[in-house]
Each structure stands twice: as C-alpha cells, then as structure tokens.
Amino acid sequence: MKKIILPKLPNKDGHFDEYGGMFVSETLMYPLKELLEAYNKIAKSAKFRQLLTKELTMYVGRPTPIYYASRISKELGSSHIYLKREDLNHTGAHKINNAMGQVLLAKAMKKTRIIAETGAGQHGVATATACAKYNIKCVVYMGEEDIERQKINVYRMKLLGAEVIPVSSGSKTLKDALNEALRDWVSNVDDTHYIIGSVAGPHPYPMIVRDFQSIIGHESKKQMASIYKKKADILVACVGGGSNAIGLFHPFLNDDVEIIGVEAGGYGLSTGKHAAPLNKGKPGVLHGNRTYIMEDENGQIQSTHSISAGLDYPGVGPEHSWLKDNKRVKYVSVTDKEALKAFYYLTEREGIIPALETAHALAYAFKIAKKYKNKNILINLSGRGDKDIDTIARMTQMTL
Amino acid sequence: MNRIEKTFINNKKKVFIAYIVCGDPDIHTTVKIMNTLVDSGVDLIELGVPFTDPIADGPTIQKSIERSLKKNTSLNDVFDVCNKFRAKNKTTPLVLMGYLNPIENLGYKKFSKIAVQSGVDGVLVVDSPPEESSVLSTVLKEYKICNIYLASPTTSKSRLETIINTSNGYLYYVSLKGITGSKISDIKSIEQNINMIKKIKKNDLPVVVGFGIKDKKTAKEISKISDGVIIGSSFVKIIEENLHNKQRMVDNINKYAVKIKTSIVNK
Ligand SMILES: Cc1ncc(COP(=O)(O)O)c(C=O)c1O
C-alpha cells in the first residue's frame, strides 16, 4: 500500500491550510499567545510530561484497555471489533485526558480560576474533577437544554465544587455555552484559564487538545501490536468537536489504515435537523477558527439537532475540515435512531453501556462489520452512558 | 479625503459615535433612528450587522441582535438601510460593525462592492484581527473602504504597530477587558494607553474609545483624552425599553444623544 505523508500542522499561525486560525476579538489575542508560549515551553518539558504521565496512570487509570468484543464480532460476520475503552477513564470519558493536561498547564501558568463550556457534561465533570484535585476555582457554562438532558452530570459538577452557569441565549446548547465562556474569558483574562473541551476554538486550542488526546491513538497502536499481534484496518470514532476522534486518528494518519469519523445525523441529513457540518455544511468562521459549519443562506449559524448533547454542535475542529478536504479521513453520519439501536445492541450483548455520542461510532462500525470481510475494526469507545440513562428512560417511557 | 477623515479633521468638537444594531426593532425604524442620531449631534454611525454568535457582546446588544435576527435581517437588509440613509444624508460617515461569517458567506468582493454602492465608509470586523485579515483588507482597500481595527488594554506594543499600519479611518480603542455593556473603572490607565498609542511613529490615526461609556461625566472625561467617544449599549437599551412605543423610542434616543453631545469637549 502507498505510504501517506501528511505535513505537520498547524503551522505557526495555527492554520491547517485554509482552516483554523485565530478569529477572535483583539482582547483575546494576548491570552491566546500567552497560552501558546506557555504550552510550547512548559507542556513540552520532560518534567511536565512525567508529572502528567504519573497522574494519568495513578489517578485517571491509563492506559485504558482495548477490548475484543467477541460476541458481537461473531454475530456481525467475519470482521473483528475492538473497543478502545476510554469509558474506563476516571469520570467516564476521554475528556479527562485533556482536562488533566490543561489544568496542570494552568497551574504552571499561575492561573487561579478555570472556566469551561460543556455539552454532554463530560468535559465539565472532567474539568471540575481536575480542579477539585488541584484546588482551583472552577466555573462551567452549560446550555439550559443540555442541563435538562444531562442532569446527572450537572449534579456531579456541583458535588465537585464547580459553579455551573446556565446559558439561556441562542439555541441553549453547546455552541452558546462556548460563546458565554469566551465572554467570561475576555472579562477575566488575567487570572483565568479557559479549557475548551474539544479540538475546536481558536489556535492554539485545536493543537493543544489534540496533543493531549493523542495518547488514545499512541496507546492503541502499541496495544494492538503487543496484545493482539494485529494491526487495525479501520478506525472509527464519533465527531462532535472532534477530540476523541483526532485523539485516536492522529498517530495513525501516516499509516496504512482506513479512517472514518461519524457525525450526528439527527433526524436524517435530508431533514436539515442534524449536527453534521462535514457532511452538509460549508467552510465559514465560528468560535475563533475557519472550519466547516452549518449556516443559512445569510451566513447565520444554524441550530442543530442531535439526540446526544456532546455532538450537538454546528462546527467541528479545523483539523477535521482539513482531513476531509485532503480525503485522508472519510466523514459519514448516523441518525438518532441508528445510534439508539447501537446503544442497546452493545449494552445487551457486551455488557457495556456506551454514551449516546459513542453510540454513533458504534452504529456505523456495526454497519461496515456486516459488509466487510475479515477486517480489524477499532472503535473509540469515547465514554460511558450513565449520563444518558435519563434520556433513554424518558424515550421508552420508563420511570426511574 | 473620505467622509471619515473629513469628520475627524473638520469637526469642532471631539467626534461622537453611536452604535446601534441594524434591524432592531425593524429596518424602517433603524433608518429613522439613524436620522435622529444625526439630528441630535452624532457625527458618525456604527451600524451593527447582526450575527447569531456575537462573542464580544454583552447581554444588551446580544438581545438586540436576537430581536433583529427574529426578523431575518440579512446583509442585504443592512445595505438597504444604508442606501435609504444615504439618500438623504451625504456627509455622515457610516461604518458597518459585525462578525466575519456573514461577510465570508457573501464573499469579500461582493460585500465590498455593494457596501461602497450603499454609501458605507468603513468596516470593523470584530473577530478578524490583522493576523487573519490580509485578504479582506486588500479587498477593502481596493474599494476604498476604511479598514478599522480594535486595540485593547491587552494589546502588546508590537501588535499595536501592526494594527496601526494596517488601519485606516480610526483606531477603536476598547476601554476595558470585557464585553460591550461593561462599565469603565480606570480612566487613568486608558489615558496612559492612548498616550502610548499616539507616540507610535507615523501614527496620525484618530483614536476613539468605546465600551463602557454610559453617562455624561464619563463621556466628557474620555473626550478629553481621545479623539472621540463611542456609545452603544446605552442606545440599544433605550430601544429595548421602548419596543412598544417607537415614537417614545426615537424621542428618548434624541434626548440622550443631545445630553451626551453637550458633555463632549472641543478639540
Ligand atoms: C463520551 C463522549 N464522546 C464524544 C463526545 C464528543 O466530543 P468530541 O467530538 O470532542 O470527542 C463527547 C462530548 O461531550 C462525549 O462526552
């Protein structure tokens, strides 16, 4: 097979060719450059890496295992399904990989206050957890609609000592929580560090979050070889902002492997009620970077729909836009209904309750497992589904 | 000389700039408010182009933008308002202020071409600092539209030089670390920063101050240390408070603008 060599990006201005960049108001240019400098100096030092590795091992529980799902593999055909168990991280999702890294960085930068936005609440919980451990004040912005559908995580954040601020503007979801966090940051740039929860936002966030999440892919590569003596043929991950996906994909980009990102198809791409900018959007500027977005004919950002709060976002990390255009990664979508079916399927047959976000990746992987012969399919099981049981119960009219 | 330069040179007083969101409460009333502002002594109008995700704006302007978007105000509507205003007023400079995405969506060239035809003199794109603006700024220059940038208390000296070298019309100094609608607390440091900006070599750009100016006293003090004052949220608040009585809306805007005007000092 041909060897693929992609350039190392972003460049020094934060661009992935035409995507990415720093599209922010003047006041934020300073803290972004300060962050970039600190990241290059501190986070790349041996001392920082050692400390982070220790925390990820002893506190978070890394490395997470890769589990061979034998029952469903057999049932689906001749392919083999492997699950990278990010759900087994402390707090239940990949989000903590980034939160730990950034809280340690913020500490080193002498910041005394941390803010974050959250959709599903997983990033909020991860950030609140790291802040509790390191004794830093934590404020989390969350859309009112998401507060309603992810109540358990709201309560967890509060228990952890974070202040959760409901956001009632716009569509009352992740996009608006991000707006509000940016507004807070502009007003408190001196003492506050903003931890974005995905590979979205202005440079250097897409790079920083990717680097902290890449541990998923690095571990996976080693584990597939050492434990299973195999190579993955296909990688599959769900894409909201795109952090769990890029975390798995990035170390494999120059390898001979097929890579698939799964967006939220909502009620179906043709209905317009989805959250699939890479499938149905076009390039534009949102939240500090140029990337594929969902916009109307006047350039206004459209409201999105997904059963999963963590995928319910009209933009996507700029690196994914680049990987779409250069065709290295294929981006597909899965509807609410298909995701739900996969949620039940994995739960009932493997005893693993996945997050609704993750269920999108599962649904697509199950589809191709039926079609392909003898392929090793590695899925990023980005998070566990405890936070979603309320939503599921309501849908099945079950009372808890 | 363009209308913006003329205004800064010919004015007896320091320049009084008003910001309102186009299309709130509706485009017809926006034109009326613009005319009222000029009649009450406003020298330059910054017309806000609504965008769904205004990350630099506080609640007052956010709500105004939401009201405007409920009526589907598009860039074409904004140009329509500019045309109607220009039909009667040939002298007051008009600056469009907003976010990049609607402009990208239309296309830089098409945007600039229609803007010039509609009598627009300058453009300020809040989320497009000089680092990201080289293409846009080339196109704006081609159409002789002033490219206005922000400077803020966090702007480093080296970036200030870049900003000044790529700006024309005026420099919009953001008085505080924060969003629109916040309150100014430290006039002394604003003065120090403006003095620093003025000392940058080859800088003959007027420096005006916005964010946080609400009352006569602040307007007066800011006008002493700068080339002009910008008031936004206070005008927008008057619109919000009088949504059901457009006559009173216009009257109160007039009264408020007249009051501020009297407090602004001579050059
Ligand atoms: C479990 C899980 N997976 C995926 C996502 C989507 O985010 P990203 O695309 O950044 O991985 C979330 C976001 O909340 C999540 O909680």
Side-chain angles (χ1 to χ4, degrees), chain A residues 4 15 42 53 55 147 201 271 280 315 317 371 380-382 394:
Chain A
I4 310 147
H15 290 253
I42 301 166
T53 303
E55 299 291 34
I147 286 184
T271 64
K280 279 286 177 183
K371 217 168 62 187
N380 193 356
L381 201 91
S382 58
R394 208 173 316 147

Side-chain angles (χ1 to χ4, degrees), chain A residues 59-125:
Chain A
Y59 185 68
V60 175
R62 299 206 72 90
T64 57
I66 288 184
Y67 166 69
Y68 174 56
S70 57
R71 187 175 167 200
I72 58 174
S73 292
K74 203 170 286 162
E75 197 173 293
L76 290 169
S78 64
S79 284
H80 305 283
I81 291 183
Y82 295 88
L83 304 174
K84 177 62 173 164
R85 297 289 307 273
E86 290 301 300
D87 61 317
L88 293 179
N89 280 320
H90 180 41
T91 68
H94 67 292
K95 299 285 180 186
I96 190 109
N97 301 331
N98 170 47
M100 290 299 285
Q102 286 207 49
V103 168
L104 281 177
L105 184 60
K107 268 281 228 223
M109 291 171 74
K110 310 251 180 316
K111 301 287 179 183
T112 55
R113 179 173 175 269
I114 297 252
I115 57 171
E117 87 295 336
T118 197
Q122 286 303 119
H123 173 58
V125 167

